[in-house]
Amino acid sequence: MKQSCLTNTQEHENEYSFIRQLVNSLTHFRMKYKLLVIATFFVVSDVFGHTNEMVINTKEIQATIQPTMYGVFFEDINYGADGGLYAELVKNRSFEFPQHLMGWKTSGKVEVLSGGPFERNPHYVRLSNSGHPHKQTCIENEGYFGIGVKQGEEYRFSVWARLPEGSQTSKIQVELVQPDSKAETQTLAAQNLILDSKVWKKYQVTLKPKTTNAHAMLRIFLVSPHPVELEHVSLFPVDTWKKHENGLRKDLVQALADLHPGVFRFPGGCIVEGTDLETRYEWKNTIGPVENRPLNENRWHYTFPHRFYPDYYQSYGLGFYEFFLLSEEIGAEPLPVVSCGLACQFQNNRPEAHVPVAELQPYIQDALDLIEFANGDVNSIWGKIRAEMGHPAPFHLKFLAIGNEQWGPEYPEHLEPFIKAIRKSYPEIRIIGSSGPDSEGAQFDYLWPEMKRLQVDLVDEHFYRPESWFLSQGNRYDRYDRRGPKVFAGEYACHGKGKKWNHFYASLLEAAFMTGLERNADVVHMATYAPLFAHVDGWQWRPDMIWFDNLNSVRTASYYVQQLYAKNRGTNVLSLTMNGKPVAGNEGQNGLFASAVWDKSNNTIIVKVINTSDKPQPVSLVFNGLKKNERLTNGTCTRLQSEYLEKDNTLDDPTLIYPQESIIDINGNRLDVEVDAFTFFVYKWVKK
Ligand code: AHR
């Protein structure tokens, strides 16, 4: 660090001695004097230029920063829901995949039948005696890339079962096994279940594996000679988030809660639109008893050009009730997105793929009913269903997005009737429109004025962009119209050119770019990085914020950037100048980016400084406007840095890049520091 500083000083020494020699060589006294004054001016401003003086005016309290400012966006991509956040361990539990035994292996006599107890998931299996003395009838589920189980933890197995006509009390054995390719399989846990009912009945038993295994299988053997019929075969860890039975994976929700998100956008993304309208996300199919939530294709089963997951479906076990509950439990405002009647335009943009505007009413009614489901009285139709599911109190929905990444004239045409209907029945709901899939260009330029014309409350912008874009966009929102709709940066992530994966440098540029969101909090009200989750064995999109396998998860450097912003959000922007000029937030200022906020709840001043350059830089933080008896105390400096610009945390090394906090004192109102190259700093003091 010091070395580069010395080098700077030596360079200046050379320049100054040249000036001194020049001045000495002049004989005329007045000329000599004038030149000396001019030279002194240049020397002084040069020195100031290199100290990077950041002046924070603690009295100049600016825009309010919305509590929703930093949030999360969830989509079932990369096995984010089934196989991820949703803790169900059995794949195709209702035998409703198009090939009914997808995900299952069978031996002996197994038949798939229809007409079971759940009308929207009618298929079930019958297990009968194989007729061979050495062949036991059995079904085995492979889970999602195996079934992850931990030694000594409890797993709740449940199944709906019935004895077929003529059958007597029957017995099955439920096992967790570790398949061994070479020799015999090893049993991790086993339990017997006696089945005694001629009508469909739910049975339950707990399994406790004796060893940990990331790729176990679930086996169900028919033990007795009498046949049995099985439906909705399920296995959950008992220790889910808050121990909910239809629960979520604890480590993954904990990661969300630790982000302190202000808003939670769900359920997508492109899956809202579906591959076509038939497979769009229909929230009404995702509520009520899980056994009767119909299966839907996942639009992400195929990603151009190389990834194909034919068995990627949505069980809807994680549905809208669970999304609202999760938002509440992690303290985030729920922000659902509903279909606007346009199919995914990337996949299917023929006019006949979309609903004609005149036929939009059922879609509009879905949006209105959703508001009632979230907020309605327990006596309302949909509020009653919410109450029956366990939440009589409203979820206090405030925001609703209509459409995801739509574009073209068809989008405003479809959006307009939604807006009219929602404004009429629920004027308090804030409506979010879209500026399409691009961060600039023809669609963006067309859609923003359209969103203004339609008077949406917020416009959802998406930008998955390279490093050069993030470096140059720190001042993007400085130029925005303050009177129009507010901005929701609903999906964004930085990636390197040809390096579409998580790495520290990309996250550093996200941090730099976010100074611009923060400084423009009067116009930017929400921002959510995307995508959120990815399974290491089944991803379709990179980079992502949190990676996981069947047992563990890892928080990336981008995660820590988001967390540092959310935990240090502040309530108001503070005025900040760099070298006498308002911070422009682009690469022009020595690669330095900064923003300052005040948190009125605890009278804290927070300054974020990001050095995106490859050199350490001297920075002076000067706090103007402090009263005579006011001091900045309890100072901390948190830094996020890595010597490996192209690396990120991994499951094997989850804390390679991790925020480090230290104490920092300030004497008076000025702090002179040298900020390391490629580092994100958060400075924080309490004003007393
Ligand atoms: O986040 C991945 C995808 O990116 C989302 O589904 C979509 O909205 C965008 O194109």
Side-chain angles (χ1 to χ4, degrees):
M1 279 182 346
K2 276 192 182 134
Q3 217 183 0
S4 83
C5 236
L6 270 180
T7 318
N8 275 348
T9 323
Q10 279 159 359
E11 270 170 21
H12 295 319
E13 264 307 306
N14 295 339
E15 285 166 22
Y16 307 154
S17 63
F18 165 75
I19 295 166
R20 235 183 284 126
Q21 278 169 22
L22 182 73
V23 171
N24 286 340
S25 68
L26 292 169
T27 46
H28 195 284
F29 176 75
R30 281 183 64 190
M31 253 181 82
K32 205 170 177 174
Y33 178 73
K34 266 189 187 166
L35 200 60
L36 200 62
V37 171
I38 293 168
T40 310
F41 172 79
F42 279 116
V43 169
V44 168
S45 54
D46 188 34
V47 167
F48 272 130
H50 279 82
T51 61
N52 300 304
E53 189 176 62
M54 299 186 183
V55 177
I56 296 108
N57 190 334
T58 62
K59 275 204 308 207
E60 210 183 305
I61 300 196
Q62 301 180 337
T64 298
I65 301 166
Q66 299 299 314
T68 51
M69 185 66 160
Y70 306 111
V72 285
F73 158 51
F74 178 85
E75 177 169 27
D76 190 359
I77 181 173
N78 306 321
Y79 287 82
D82 290 298
L85 185 60
Y86 185 48
E88 172 65 87
L89 296 166
V90 177
K91 182 163 75 183
N92 190 14
R93 63 186 174 187
S94 295
F95 309 101
E96 294 302 331
F97 281 27
Q99 287 138 39
H100 297 293
L101 289 173
M102 230 172 176
W104 294 93
K105 272 191 206 148
T106 65
S107 78
K109 191 171 177 199
V110 179
E111 298 159 88
V112 178
L113 302 168
S114 188
F118 309 112
E119 57 165 338
R120 295 200 288 184
N121 289 321
H123 294 93
Y124 62 95
V125 288
R126 178 182 293 163
L127 274 51
S128 315
N129 194 314
S130 71
H132 303 281
H134 302 300
K135 197 170 200 181
Q136 222 176 345
T137 294
C138 164
I139 54 174
E140 178 184 282
N141 192 269
E142 66 187 26
Y144 297 91
F145 317 103
I147 293 178
V149 290
K150 293 185 182 165
Q151 179 183 12
E153 298 261 322
E154 293 188 316
Y155 294 85
R156 187 184 299 111
F157 170 86
S158 66
V159 64
W160 285 79
R162 175 178 78 166
L163 301 174
E165 207 53 37
S167 182
Q168 295 165 23
T169 298
S170 186
K171 190 161 124 187
I172 55 171
Q173 174 149 322
V174 185
E175 291 184 357
L176 277 168
V177 296
Q178 169 188 324
D180 187 323
S181 51
K182 289 192 211 112
E184 294 200 338
T185 55
Q186 191 198 337
T187 305
L188 306 175
Q191 288 282 1
N192 283 329
L193 257 183
I194 309 285
L195 310 171
D196 56 4
S197 174
K198 291 207 159 34
V199 292
W200 287 101
K201 175 177 155 187
K202 188 175 175 180
Y203 297 83
Q204 210 165 280
V205 72
T206 304
L207 297 167
K208 211 174 184 177
K210 56 184 183 209
T211 52
T212 295
N213 197 297
H215 303 286
M217 306 277 154
L218 176 75
R219 277 193 186 164
I220 303 170
F221 286 102
L222 180 68
V223 178
S224 74
H226 306 292
V228 65
E229 292 170 345
L230 306 177
E231 162 66 313
H232 198 87
V233 182
S234 169
L235 182 74
F236 272 90
V238 171
D239 193 17
T240 55
W241 168 256
K242 292 198 181 286
K243 303 255 188 305
H244 294 310
E245 279 208 16
N246 183 49
L248 307 181
R249 220 176 106 164
K250 202 174 163 182
D251 61 328
L252 297 182
V253 184
Q254 192 58 57
L256 298 186
D258 291 347
L259 270 173
H260 300 268
V263 67
F264 185 82
R265 176 181 181 237
F266 59 88
C270 291
I271 68 161
V272 168
E273 305 149 66
T275 309
D276 47 37
L277 282 180
E278 283 296 293
T279 56
R280 73 187 186 278
Y281 194 100
E282 291 192 66
W283 75 267
K284 286 176 179 167
N285 287 343
T286 75
I287 59 166
V290 285
E291 292 87 345
N292 208 19
R293 299 183 191 177
L295 189 82
N296 194 16
E297 181 191 294
N298 190 313
R299 174 249 177 270
W300 291 110
H301 69 92
Y302 177 68
T303 319
F304 182 80
H306 51 285
R307 292 189 175 261
F308 185 52
Y309 294 94
D311 57 353
Y312 196 1
Y313 283 84
Q314 302 177 75
S315 72
Y316 284 153
L318 167 54
F320 262 41
Y321 176 82
E322 291 77 20
F323 280 129
F324 279 118
L325 192 63
L326 175 61
S327 309
E328 185 174 88
E329 289 174 347
I330 60 174
E333 291 292 346
L335 193 171
V337 188
V338 293
S339 161
C340 66
L342 294 173
C344 177
Q345 290 169 278
F346 282 115
Q347 295 210 333
N348 218 340
N349 208 12
R350 294 163 297 115
E352 58 280 16
H354 308 310
V355 177
V357 174
E359 293 165 28
L360 263 179
Q361 192 47 37
Y363 291 73
I364 295 172
Q365 195 57 48
D366 275 357
L368 296 173
D369 292 343
L370 176 61
I371 301 170
E372 187 176 288
F373 177 71
N375 293 351
D377 185 85
V378 293
N379 298 314
S380 63
I381 295 173
W382 293 98
K384 185 164 179 274
I385 296 173
R386 181 196 69 238
E388 284 164 2
M389 288 186 76
H391 204 285
F395 282 120
H396 304 292
L397 176 70
K398 299 188 182 82
F399 303 96
L400 183 61
I402 313 291
N404 174 43
E405 258 178 10
Q406 324 298 161
W407 67 77
E410 51 272 51
Y411 179 48
E413 282 163 15
H414 280 68
L415 179 59
E416 195 161 8
F418 278 87
I419 295 179
K420 279 195 182 132
I422 295 169
R423 296 271 189 245
K424 189 167 164 225
S425 304
Y426 298 103
E428 71 284 6
I429 293 290
R430 307 195 65 203
I431 298 174
I432 299 173
S434 164
S435 59
D438 301 322
S439 49
E440 50 271 302
Q443 286 303 336
F444 184 89
D445 293 343
Y446 163 70
L447 284 169
W448 251 101
E450 283 296 291
M451 293 304 109
K452 282 185 181 170
R453 178 180 68 80
L454 294 174
Q455 297 182 356
V456 300
D457 297 294
L458 292 108
V459 176
D460 179 10
E461 297 188 352
H462 293 180
F463 32 88
Y464 298 100
R465 290 288 181 266
E467 290 158 351
S468 53
W469 189 93
F470 272 80
L471 258 179
S472 64
Q473 293 286 314
N475 57 359
R476 174 182 180 90
Y477 295 109
D478 298 2
R479 310 185 287 264
Y480 271 50
D481 179 359
R482 280 24 220 176
R483 292 156 310 171
K486 303 302 176 195
V487 171
F488 171 28
E491 291 184 32
Y492 68 94
C494 173
H495 56 78
K497 204 164 179 227
K499 285 188 291 180
K500 275 199 166 187
W501 58 78
N502 288 85
H503 57 285
F504 173 71
Y505 184 58
S507 68
L508 185 76
L509 300 192
E510 285 154 9
F513 169 78
M514 288 172 78
T515 55
L517 305 180
E518 192 159 270
R519 285 186 299 98
N520 288 286
D522 59 329
V523 70
V524 182
H525 280 197
M526 298 175 183
T528 55
Y529 178 97
L532 181 57
F533 287 123
H535 194 301
V536 290
D537 295 325
W539 56 271
Q540 297 85 39
W541 187 294
R542 291 189 304 189
D544 305 287
M545 207 198 316
I546 299 165
W547 286 82
F548 59 90
D549 64 12
N550 284 349
L551 295 174
N552 299 302
S553 50
V554 54
R555 305 168 181 195
T556 61
S558 290
Y559 174 96
Y560 289 114
V561 166
Q562 295 296 321
Q563 189 188 48
L564 284 172
Y565 267 90
K567 281 173 88 172
N568 297 290
R569 176 174 53 83
T571 52
N572 294 84
V573 179
L574 285 177
S575 133
L576 169 70
T577 58
M578 204 186 300
N579 300 328
K581 292 187 227 132
V583 174
N586 58 26
E587 56 197 323
Q589 286 169 303
N590 302 336
L592 283 174
F593 293 72
S595 62
V597 300
W598 173 59
D599 190 331
K600 67 179 168 201
S601 67
N602 47 21
N603 208 9
T604 301
I605 291 181
I606 304 163
V607 186
K608 300 182 183 86
V609 179
I610 296 95
N611 183 2
T612 62
S613 77
D614 59 357
K615 292 188 182 57
Q617 305 220 33
V619 165
S620 300
L621 298 181
V622 179
F623 297 90
N624 283 349
L626 293 173
K627 291 191 197 125
K628 255 195 183 154
N629 56 351
E630 264 177 350
R631 287 181 312 123
L632 297 177
T633 65
N634 302 70
T636 56
C637 167
T638 308
R639 70 181 67 205
L640 189 69
Q641 65 183 175
S642 172
E643 55 182 293
Y644 310 109
L645 292 186
E646 300 211 344
K647 285 195 180 177
D648 210 318
N649 297 327
T650 59
L651 286 166
D652 294 329
D653 194 357
T655 52
L656 177 73
I657 303 162
Y658 192 78
Q660 306 290 337
E661 190 179 292
S662 56
I663 289 172
I664 192 156
D665 289 329
I666 180 167
N667 205 355
N669 75 333
R670 182 183 181 99
L671 177 77
D672 296 306
V673 285
E674 192 166 59
V675 294
D676 300 345
F678 297 127
T679 306
F680 173 22
F681 293 87
V682 181
Y683 296 99
K684 198 167 172 176
W685 288 275
V686 181
K687 200 163 67 157
K688 277 195 184 147

